[in-house]
Amino acid sequence: MHSPTILPSQPSLSIPPSIPSFISHSGESAERARCLLTLSPSTLVVRFADPVTANCSAPRMEFSALGWLVPLAAPKPTMDRFLVWSVDRMTEWGIKPICYALAEQGGDCHINLPLTIYKPPDNVSMSFVNHTGPMVEGHQYTLQCTVQDVAPVKNLTVTFYRGQTPLGCLQSNNNTKKTPVTEIFTLDITPSKEEDRDQYWCEAKLELGPEGPQHPPVAISQKLTAMVHFGPQLACPTKLQVREGERLTCEVRGNPQPSVIWFRDGKLVTPPTHTSRKHAGKYTILAKGLKKKNFTVEVEVLDGSGTASRCNRCFLLAVLLIQITWL
């Protein structure tokens, strides 16, 4: 960083050896600090390498001269009522521009220009911490969002998403670093089978306040498609009713899709395609998928004359009558 500009001595001006003790910070008015200087704009938010312009003015000619203390393109002091500081490309980090006024009577004063220099991230990426491949339902995993070369990191907000659902919003604990840094954010998740094939991603946004860009700088990561393994799970009731002549079937779900074999009385059997009364009884279903699991299913074979069908029609008629009564 360049040294602050040293102002040349002038016969009619008395340059103070140090900055006056009364400072007008961003939260103070110039009047309260007994300093009548005005900055336009009063606060600056500028992207790195973009141009900058700020004007310092005095309402009345009560001062001998106006000047800027700034390490980049400092203008010469003037005896006019205003003085513009202008930079074609902002290439310094963390500078603190100061406009000052010299007076032979009434005291000298100065005012700080709050300046935020920002840089959107070069890249935002999403990954899993210490994990590759499919996830297992009910296990915990850690998502990692890496934001590269962003400034100032204290204004950075990172949001994790599953599809269009936000999972969490995080901010950096680094409140002092003004130059670009790479920051890593993590979030723990416990996926369920319903989230199989969902996509995870993250969004990095610089929240620069009302003085910043109308649309805050936003960068998003690539999307990771999650594969969630689960099961095996029995999809039919453990007490299964079928009618004579129907196929005996019972779905077992899982990812990866499990292989299924049936046993009856300890012997390997093939589920019948045309069920009869002799097929009633208890069966053991062995499913091999993410893991091995046994299910016991008790099969009841109903009369093929339509008893089950008549019962189902009676049940549906009863539901319909109840609905009509409510209406």
Side-chain angles (χ1 to χ4, degrees):
M1 182 177 294
H2 303 295
S3 301
T5 301
I6 305 298
L7 303 176
S9 300
Q10 301 181 28
S12 62
L13 302 181
S14 174
I15 298 177
S18 61
I19 297 298
S21 60
F22 48 91
I23 294 178
S24 176
H25 296 291
S26 60
E28 299 177 290
S29 67
E31 289 77 12
R32 286 166 56 185
R34 296 185 292 113
C35 187
L36 299 178
L37 299 179
T38 301
L39 293 175
S40 179
S42 58
T43 301
L44 265 178
V45 177
V46 59
R47 182 168 178 158
F48 186 79
D50 277 3
V52 177
T53 299
N55 180 42
C56 181
S57 61
R60 297 181 299 276
M61 283 307 298
E62 297 179 353
F63 303 104
S64 303
L66 288 177
W68 282 92
L69 284 176
V70 61
L72 188 65
K76 293 181 179 180
T78 181
M79 298 182 68
D80 294 332
R81 289 179 53 192
F82 66 90
L83 182 60
V84 174
W85 170 53
S86 182
V87 179
D88 292 335
R89 294 181 76 251
M90 175 54 66
T91 56
E92 296 280 347
W93 295 98
I95 67 174
K96 298 179 180 179
I98 298 173
C99 177
Y100 68 88
L102 303 180
E104 294 181 351
Q105 295 181 351
D108 306 320
C109 73
H110 77 282
I111 183 171
N112 293 342
L113 173 62
L115 173 61
T116 299
I117 303 171
Y118 72 91
K119 176 186 174 296
D122 288 341
N123 185 57
V124 179
S125 61
M126 172 70 87
S127 61
F128 287 101
V129 177
N130 299 325
H131 178 77
T132 58
M135 297 181 290
V136 178
E137 181 184 34
H139 290 210
Q140 181 174 286
Y141 300 89
T142 301
L143 292 171
Q144 177 174 286
C145 183
T146 303
V147 185
Q148 295 182 348
D149 292 328
V150 62
V153 71
K154 71 175 183 178
N155 294 88
L156 179 66
T157 299
V158 167
T159 305
F160 288 83
Y161 288 88
R162 185 187 71 246
Q164 296 302 314
T165 303
L167 301 177
C169 186
L170 304 177
Q171 290 183 305
S172 172
N173 294 323
N174 189 343
N175 294 321
T176 59
K177 195 70 172 177
K178 297 185 182 298
T179 56
V181 297
T182 294
E183 195 83 350
I184 296 176
F185 301 83
T186 59
L187 182 73
D188 292 335
I189 60 169
T190 304
S192 66
K193 62 179 180 293
E194 288 79 17
E195 296 165 13
D196 185 39
R197 303 294 177 178
D198 282 356
Q199 292 184 321
Y200 292 94
W201 56 285
C202 61
E203 174 190 80
K205 179 186 293 185
L206 280 173
E207 303 281 2
L208 298 166
E211 295 84 8
Q214 183 177 1
H215 300 289
V218 174
I220 64 173
S221 71
Q222 82 284 17
K223 295 182 179 180
L224 295 181
T225 301
M227 182 176 293
V228 182
H229 282 183
F230 66 93
Q233 294 178 345
L234 191 66
C236 68
T238 55
K239 291 188 176 181
L240 180 62
Q241 292 183 334
V242 294
R243 289 198 295 269
E244 286 184 305
E246 289 184 339
R247 179 187 179 90
L248 177 57
T249 181
C250 182
E251 184 183 2
V252 179
R253 297 172 183 169
N255 185 19
Q257 182 62 41
S259 62
V260 175
I261 53 178
W262 292 61
F263 293 89
R264 186 180 185 187
D265 299 329
K267 297 180 180 180
L268 180 65
V269 296
T270 300
T273 55
H274 292 81
T275 308
S276 64
R277 292 299 183 105
K278 67 178 182 180
H279 294 120
K282 289 186 177 181
Y283 291 80
T284 298
I285 299 176
L286 174 61
K288 296 180 181 180
L290 180 61
K291 54 186 176 180
K292 291 183 180 180
K293 195 168 184 180
N294 290 331
F295 304 96
T296 299
V297 177
E298 185 174 350
V299 176
E300 179 183 359
V301 180
L302 302 178
D303 189 354
S305 61
T307 304
S309 178
R310 286 197 299 270
C311 288
N312 288 337
R313 286 198 296 271
C314 291
F315 174 74
L316 292 174
L317 180 59
V319 172
L320 180 59
L321 290 174
I322 293 173
Q323 292 176 341
I324 293 173
T325 303
W326 286 345
L327 295 174

Coordinates of all heavy atoms in Angstrom, one line a residue, residues 15 38 47 54 90 154 167 177 181 250 262:
I15 N -1.0 23.7 8.4 CA -1.3 22.3 8.3 C -1.1 21.7 9.6 O 0.0 21.8 10.2 CB -0.4 21.6 7.2 CG1 -0.7 22.3 5.8 CG2 -0.7 20.1 7.2 CD1 0.2 21.7 4.7
T38 N -19.2 17.7 4.1 CA -20.2 16.8 3.7 C -19.6 15.9 2.6 O -18.9 16.4 1.7 CB -21.4 17.6 3.1 OG1 -22.0 18.4 4.1 CG2 -22.5 16.6 2.6
R47 N -16.9 -2.4 -6.4 CA -16.3 -3.7 -6.8 C -14.8 -3.5 -7.1 O -14.5 -2.4 -7.7 CB -17.0 -4.3 -8.0 CG -16.5 -5.6 -8.5 CD -17.4 -6.2 -9.5 NE -16.9 -7.5 -10.0 CZ -17.7 -8.4 -10.6 NH1 -19.0 -8.2 -10.7 NH2 -17.1 -9.5 -11.0
A54 N -15.9 10.3 -5.3 CA -16.5 10.9 -4.1 C -16.2 12.4 -4.0 O -15.1 12.8 -4.4 CB -16.0 10.2 -2.9
M90 N -10.2 0.8 -8.8 CA -9.9 0.6 -7.4 C -9.0 -0.7 -7.2 O -9.5 -1.8 -7.5 CB -11.2 0.4 -6.6 CG -10.9 0.1 -5.1 SD -9.8 1.2 -4.2 CE -10.8 2.7 -4.3
K154 N -16.9 -11.2 5.6 CA -17.9 -11.0 6.6 C -19.3 -10.7 6.0 O -20.3 -10.8 6.7 CB -17.5 -9.8 7.5 CG -17.5 -8.4 6.8 CD -17.2 -7.3 7.8 CE -17.3 -6.0 7.1 NZ -17.0 -4.9 8.1
L167 N -31.9 -25.7 3.2 CA -31.6 -26.6 4.4 C -31.0 -25.8 5.5 O -31.0 -26.2 6.7 CB -30.7 -27.7 3.9 CG -31.3 -28.6 2.8 CD1 -30.2 -29.7 2.5 CD2 -32.5 -29.3 3.3
K177 N -11.0 -9.9 7.9 CA -10.3 -10.0 6.7 C -11.0 -9.2 5.6 O -12.2 -9.4 5.3 CB -10.2 -11.5 6.3 CG -9.2 -11.8 5.2 CD -7.7 -11.6 5.7 CE -6.7 -12.1 4.7 NZ -5.4 -11.9 5.1
V181 N -10.5 -14.2 0.3 CA -10.2 -15.5 1.0 C -11.0 -16.6 0.4 O -12.1 -16.3 -0.2 CB -10.4 -15.4 2.5 CG1 -9.5 -14.3 3.1 CG2 -11.8 -15.1 2.8
C250 N -46.1 -60.6 -3.6 CA -45.9 -59.7 -2.5 C -44.6 -58.8 -2.8 O -43.5 -59.4 -3.0 CB -45.7 -60.4 -1.1 SG -45.4 -59.3 0.3
W262 N -38.8 -67.3 -1.9 CA -39.8 -67.7 -1.0 C -39.5 -69.1 -0.4 O -39.0 -70.0 -1.1 CB -41.2 -67.7 -1.7 CG -41.7 -66.4 -2.2 CD1 -41.2 -65.5 -3.0 CD2 -43.0 -65.8 -1.8 NE1 -41.9 -64.4 -3.2 CE2 -43.1 -64.6 -2.4 CE3 -44.0 -66.2 -0.9 CZ2 -44.2 -63.7 -2.3 CZ3 -45.1 -65.4 -0.8 CH2 -45.2 -64.2 -1.4

